[in-house]
Amino acid sequence: MKPVELPLPVVRRPSAQVDADALERELGARVDGEVRFDSGTRAAYSTDGSNYRQVPIGVVVPRTVEAAAEAVAVCREQGAPLLSRGGGTSLAGECCNAAVVIDWSKYCHRLLSVDTDNRRCVIEPGIVLDDLNRQLKEYGLMYGPKPATHPNCTLGGMIGNNSCGSTAQAYGKVVDNVHRLEVLTYDGVRMWVGRTGDAELERLTAGEGRQAELYRGLVGLRDRYAGLVRERYPDIPRRVSGYNLDSLLPEHGFDVAGLLTGSESTLVTVLRAELDLVPVPAYSALVVLGYRDICEAADHVPAVLEHEPAALEGVDHQLIHFQQEKHLNPRALDELPEGRAYLMVQFSGDTQDEADDRAKALIDAKPKDVGHTWYDDENKVAQLWAVRESGLGATAHVPGKPDTWEGWEDSAVPVDRLGDYLRDLKKLYEEFDYGHPSVYGHFGHGCVHTRIPFDLTSEDGVARMRAFVERAADLVVRYGGSLSGEHGDGQSRGELLTKMFGPELVEGFERLKGLFDPDDRMNPGKIVLPYRLDENLRLGADYLPWEPDTVFSFPHDEGKFSRAAARCVGVGKCRSSEGGVMCPSYRATREEEHSTRGRARLLFEMVRNDSPVDADWHSHEVNDALDLCLACKGCKTDCPVNVDMATYKAEFLHHHYKGRPRPLAHYSMGWLPALARIVALAPRTVNALASVPWIARAAKALGGVAPERDVPLFAEQRFTDWWRERGGPRGSGHRGEVVVWPDTFTDHFHPAIGKAAVEVLEAAGFRVKVPDAGVCCGLTWISTGQLGVAQRVLGRTLDILREDLRRGTPVVGLEPSCTAVFRADAAELLPKGPDVERLREQTRTLAELLVEKAGDWQPPAVDARAVVQRHCHQYAVMGFDAERELFERAGVDADVLDAGCCGLAGNFGFEKGHYEVSMACAEAGLLPAVRDAGDSTLVLADGFSCRTQVEQAGTGRTPLHLAEILAAGLRGERAEPERPSAPGGRALLPAAATAGAAVAMSVAGLTWLKHRRRR
């Protein structure tokens, strides 16, 4: 081997003087991918899940690994700093920098090979953990480490952070599960690295060139620092802070892949990874133990570990209380035993009996005063784990509490000292007047998560935060622990590494950085030569956001739009590919800017001072990002901090187009209730005209409607006209009065649903009322941001319903989106008052009314299988529990799809330019499920949008409403949809004159509306 020269420490950061225009041109010319240096993209990538913010130079989204390698080459030639990014959920600031960001997640997410014999696979860095494990399931294998962000974290990000998760109890950290890495240095060396035997190491160090230089330098670092590594690296399972110099020790096989794992994009760019896999556990059982407080629970951890659990997590009462306040995981919370702190202990086994026996052994051995529950039902176990995995979101933006932040969210200590560490940490909280933040985490490995109510918007608050973190670092070092047990160092902890390792080992880190990246171009300012922990803050003492006047009251954000815009904490759940509703546009596009998080970031940048985004309602960057928001409201429930992007979009559109011409769709679909009343004068004629291709094309062009869409047919008789002809209510009415709300979609398009609802309600013993006057909830004006009109419409609705509301009469909504307006939006749009609150409290879905007010009524036996699509607004606002109960009582074997949004989403899917995304959303789950349903299986969808999407997608199925199947059951018939049909060609002849008048009227009406809004 040639003489070893110890590498020099890196000593400088790159100059910020990069010719961004030249860099963008060169990347665009040479990289097969998307090169984005626009202000909107840069703003969306300016922060991660941390307290930090740095606007990048630009973003590259490579289509292939080779394209990413070319991007590195261009950056090298231009001297531009570089950062690889996965899911963007990092909590220590390592995923934001003034650099070129390579986002791997959109295209480079392939599983390249699976070696079942050796239990290994090769992947690209952009693949999401849950997506990988879904693909590996057919082989009976999975990747072991599983962070709480498993639905959206990428393997590249996990490798960069050395991630862990609850399953690390059984499988270890990522560093323990990486076999080899293909890496690229900033200066162009590309190589596969892993464990290196003596002979191979001799061969590599004896060679010429940069690779040999790297290996010789690593040998020198090993020899220089081996003693200090053994002495000063904490002997705990969760030492994530610092570089993994211990991987170079002989006992670890000179593992260069292990060394580079957890290096946070500061040393190399990871191109591919060969991972070690584990068998999927055959069976499991979960024990939950209840304690008086979290410190006592922590004291009991060593005794629990003797039972060799597969996972061991701790949760305190604060976390449970916060989830109760935010209505998170209500079913799971009911399953917890008595106590104010909990240990969640999971066991695995080759048989269910084996897993159960291990659980019972723990229960038998626990102290008598410790409560317990245990489960081996897969669904209940998953619900209980959701309690733990909701920790970050549940502890952020708690109603009535100060905002909490990361910054000391990831420390780890020896498990036998965990209880005492928590007691001292709580004393430190009290000393700094931070109250009693929730603590939870991976207690089986001594890792503690918490969010602290730091004041990050004043000089004193930031100084106090810094003082606390420094004291906390001293505390964890005194306990023999690690500053980070999972989330990495980044900027949060880079400055504190000297406290943990001493100056000699920190110099070793600087030499390692100098070896791989001597010019400090790879993610500069993180881990080595770090930025201060109190600079580059997303808020900071100079944070003075714009506080615009708003129409919505934003009661959950103290009435401030700036607080709503800052609500997102970056956890990235909106980037998951399955489960729940959020976020359909991200699932269709895989674009950060078209995720809930990306839009929230842009809104934050809009109200923030010193931002690349225009600082007012006319921001074109925000408008572009909101264009593909379906306003499905999925984020209102699925987002851990309840970002309500549908409301933010409506507010933005209201101001953005104030005094300006609007998109044509805002006139045609925003004013649909008014236009529908005009059409009601001659619905048959309008339907006939809509069946003529050239007239339909012209009408759609005039209305800004997607040419691929069919114009929905209007009913020849409205529901309200039928009600008046019917002559009023019938039946005994012994259960009292109810108002059936005649929404526009039921009234003008599918009146059979209203008729069916009346039949069901009267059969159940209710006296039905239908408003005499023309009424509307204002939904279409809300979704198109015409909030002044929406307020007037809602105000009129309150006037019409006032007497019924004051008598306590329930209002039954048949269209979920309209029902959701009454249950959520109305109270935030109208002045606060008793009537709007009564409207919220008294409005019910059909199922809710029957379950709550007619619990003893036996619905008819439908006795059928059904595929059920929940409307997104119902999912987000009302929930679906009552419908599930009613299905069960009626003998409906309901497959309630967890397939996300249908994609039509009111006006969204009808608008020109949205068709492709709309259909991609539908094809993600809904349409395949409908196609797979047998002919005898009912297809149910209470939402007009959902029904229309299925009908227009060529499935051959016409979905039914819950009311229709119940009414058919009362008649002893199989439910068949009754929908408007297009008249034959002859209908045009006698209606020619009326048709011309109708067209002229519509054109004149739209023109008048457009000019009126312009004024």
Side-chain angles (χ1 to χ4, degrees), residues 92-152:
E94 56 266 54
C95 265
C96 55
N97 215 324
V100 172
V101 174
I102 297 179
D103 183 349
W104 296 87
S105 62
K106 183 173 182 180
Y107 298 116
C108 297
H109 48 70
R110 301 168 186 88
L111 170 61
L112 299 173
S113 65
V114 179
D115 179 353
T116 56
D117 292 337
N118 292 300
R119 292 180 181 167
R120 294 189 189 124
C121 70
V122 178
I123 53 96
E124 293 176 341
I127 193 168
V128 168
L129 177 59
D130 274 6
D131 295 343
L132 171 63
N133 281 336
R134 273 190 286 270
Q135 295 179 61
L136 292 172
K137 189 175 182 180
E138 65 176 288
Y139 304 102
L141 299 171
M142 69 178 194
Y143 191 61
K146 186 181 179 182
T149 52
H150 55 87
N152 50 280

Side-chain angles (χ1 to χ4, degrees), residues 524-704:
K526 310 302 163 86
I527 302 181
V528 170
L529 298 181
Y531 294 107
R532 298 190 316 274
L533 64 87
D534 53 357
E535 65 178 317
N536 299 326
L537 291 172
R538 189 157 72 97
L539 301 181
D542 60 347
Y543 178 64
L544 296 170
W546 174 47
E547 296 289 1
D549 293 332
T550 61
V551 181
F552 280 99
S553 61
F554 295 100
H556 307 297
D557 293 291
E558 300 177 2
K560 296 180 179 179
F561 187 79
S562 67
R563 284 185 58 82
R567 178 170 281 269
C568 174
V569 296
V571 71
K573 188 178 178 184
C574 49
R575 289 170 53 100
S576 64
S577 59
E578 287 191 357
V581 172
M582 179 182 72
C583 174
S585 55
Y586 175 79
R587 293 177 182 180
T589 65
R590 298 184 73 94
E591 290 278 359
E592 175 70 18
E593 288 175 76
H594 297 306
S595 68
T596 306
R597 181 178 71 180
R599 296 182 180 107
R601 294 298 192 225
L602 283 164
L603 287 166
F604 171 80
E605 292 290 322
M606 184 186 79
V607 302
R608 190 190 192 281
N609 52 319
D610 185 28
S611 168
V613 170
D614 295 337
D616 61 32
W617 294 116
H618 293 144
S619 167
H620 68 88
E621 301 95 344
V622 175
N623 190 50
D624 290 346
L626 289 173
D627 179 57
L628 290 187
C629 171
L630 284 78
C632 67
K633 284 189 177 288
C635 48
K636 185 179 177 73
T637 289
D638 285 345
C639 174
V641 292
N642 307 114
V643 166
D644 184 0
M645 194 54 62
T647 296
Y648 305 169
K649 178 178 180 177
E651 185 73 48
F652 177 85
L653 291 177
H654 172 81
H655 298 282
H656 186 75
Y657 289 109
K658 190 173 185 179
R660 304 165 68 189
R662 287 176 167 270
L664 291 171
H666 287 199
Y667 302 106
S668 62
M669 286 176 273
W671 285 79
L672 177 64
L675 293 175
R677 288 175 194 156
I678 297 173
V679 171
L681 299 173
R684 184 174 175 81
T685 300
V686 173
N687 289 343
L689 287 168
S691 69
V692 178
W694 70 267
I695 296 178
R697 285 195 299 270
K700 287 186 279 189
L702 177 67

Side-chain angles (χ1 to χ4, degrees), residues 455-467 534 537 540-541:
D455 169 13
L456 298 181
T457 59
S458 72
E459 288 187 12
D460 288 346
V462 171
R464 191 153 59 103
M465 178 271 288
R466 180 184 182 88
D534 53 357
L537 291 172

Side-chain angles (χ1 to χ4, degrees), residues 341-365:
Y342 308 93
L343 293 181
M344 302 176 66
V345 192
Q346 183 153 307
F347 295 97
S348 299
D350 294 331
T351 66
Q352 190 63 64
D353 286 343
E354 180 185 353
D356 290 350
D357 287 345
R358 299 180 72 182
K360 292 172 184 175
L362 172 63
I363 293 168
D364 291 342

